[in-house]
Amino acid sequence: MNTSLSISATRFCPRPSLNWGGLFCAVVLFHQNAAFADVAKTPKRLVNQLGNSSFLSRLQAEQELLDLGYRSYSAIVEGTKSPDPEIRYRTLRLMKLLRRGAFADRQQELRANPWIVPEGLAPGWEEFHQMLGDGEDARELYVQILNSETDLMLAVSAPGWQSQFEKRCSDLQAISHQRQSLEIQPGSIAALLFLACHPDNRPSGNASSIITMLISDSTFRDAALRSRSSEVLKALIGIWIRKNRHTSPIQLLSDAVTFDLDAGMEAARDGIARRHQLRASAIHTGNSIFYLAKYGGKDVIEELEKLLTDSAQLPGSFKNSATTVQIRDVALAALLYVTKQDPKTYGFNELRPKSGYLYYANSARFASDQDREKALLLWQNWRAKHVRDPFRGNLDASEGDAL
């Protein structure tokens, strides 16, 4: 009896059991929902959500795109081309934030090898490399430039970046008008200088004047002359001097001398070509001739020799002297430097050295006109013995064989 009840109880009392069919449906449904959620959160869908009518929905999409990091970058870039102004505005902002964050994380890679960094995180590197090489000091300067003007540099890969460059220069000009001095870090100046030299940029006269003003900044000058990247910075300045068409030749020549560069050759030639103009400066004419000799070497002998027939007085100068200084006097002194001859043997007894320009032009004088004629004849005799056209070889007065 008891046994039958027990069995009976066992037989008729329902036991807990699994509904395998229902469980399978639930699992499938869960995974489908998760898959749908993943699809809903793809970068492309999140970018589209930036145009949602709900502010909270737009904000959530923006945050999730940031959380995805650089994985969402391609979709964000596409969003900047959207016809929806809200999507364009938010993706542009996100693009800057992501690139700044990604750039900050990859600075060591940029210092080591910018070529392995995604192009979007190394804006302008190809042009920088073409201008200044990819040596260690060049890479260090490149990273410094990116750190100093991050937003402006990151814009270089987008069309129309030149207008942002012009605006930055205009803003600096406005600030300079409000203050007696313009406080700007050397890295920022280097960045603006690089962008001014960029082959795709044609700076306006206003921007060029700002760049010229900035490279005369004392802190930047010290960095260009004494810092680790000084040679790279000087090379960049040289490119600018050659490219600049808005600044006066006098200023360009002065900048070339300040940084001990041969980039002022065309400015020097311009100064020589204008030597007979009414407003020609005696100082600039003399500086131009001596600069040409200092940095041109034997390659400019023919140019200097053409000036030996110019008996015009150095414009606007030295009228109270016993003998006036003529263009050909300065040219002869320059030739003696190039050919390594002692100027005193030619009658130049008053030459005074001038930093960057060899001599002061008004010191290239003779005691008399007769001394000048003797000096010119001495040059002709020396030239006949030591120089052969075209001018080649190492010109040295100590050697008697024709070159």
Side-chain angles (χ1 to χ4, degrees), residues 342-380:
D342 183 359
K344 290 185 178 181
T345 63
Y346 282 75
F348 287 115
N349 298 314
E350 301 180 26
L351 282 176
R352 289 182 292 115
K354 182 177 183 180
S355 177
Y357 298 104
L358 301 183
Y359 310 111
Y360 286 91
N362 64 348
S363 69
R365 68 175 66 257
F366 292 100
S368 66
D369 293 337
Q370 290 76 14
D371 287 343
R372 175 185 294 115
E373 295 303 323
K374 290 179 182 178
L376 290 170
L377 181 60
L378 184 59
W379 165 259
Q380 291 299 328

Side-chain angles (χ1 to χ4, degrees), residues 113-127:
N113 185 1
W115 297 109
I116 65 174
V117 177
E119 185 178 357
L121 299 180
W125 167 248
E126 187 170 349
E127 292 78 11

Side-chain angles (χ1 to χ4, degrees), residues 89-107:
Y89 167 76
R90 289 181 178 272
T91 50
L92 281 170
R93 184 171 64 181
L94 284 168
M95 186 170 67
K96 289 183 180 180
L97 289 171
L98 282 177
R99 290 176 76 181
R100 286 180 71 94
F103 162 69
D105 293 338
R106 299 203 176 197
Q107 289 198 36

Side-chain angles (χ1 to χ4, degrees), residues 381-396:
N381 292 334
W382 184 93
R383 186 191 189 284
K385 294 179 181 179
H386 295 82
V387 182
R388 187 185 296 158
D389 292 327
F391 300 98
R392 293 175 182 171
N394 179 25
L395 296 174
D396 193 328

Side-chain angles (χ1 to χ4, degrees), residues 297-327:
K298 61 182 176 57
D299 294 330
V300 300
I301 290 180
E302 189 172 5
E303 292 179 70
L304 293 172
E305 276 206 305
K306 290 178 180 178
L307 300 176
L308 293 181
T309 59
D310 192 339
S311 59
Q313 179 183 334
L314 203 61
S317 66
F318 328 126
K319 294 182 179 179
N320 296 326
S321 302
T323 56
T324 60
V325 176
Q326 298 179 1
I327 297 291

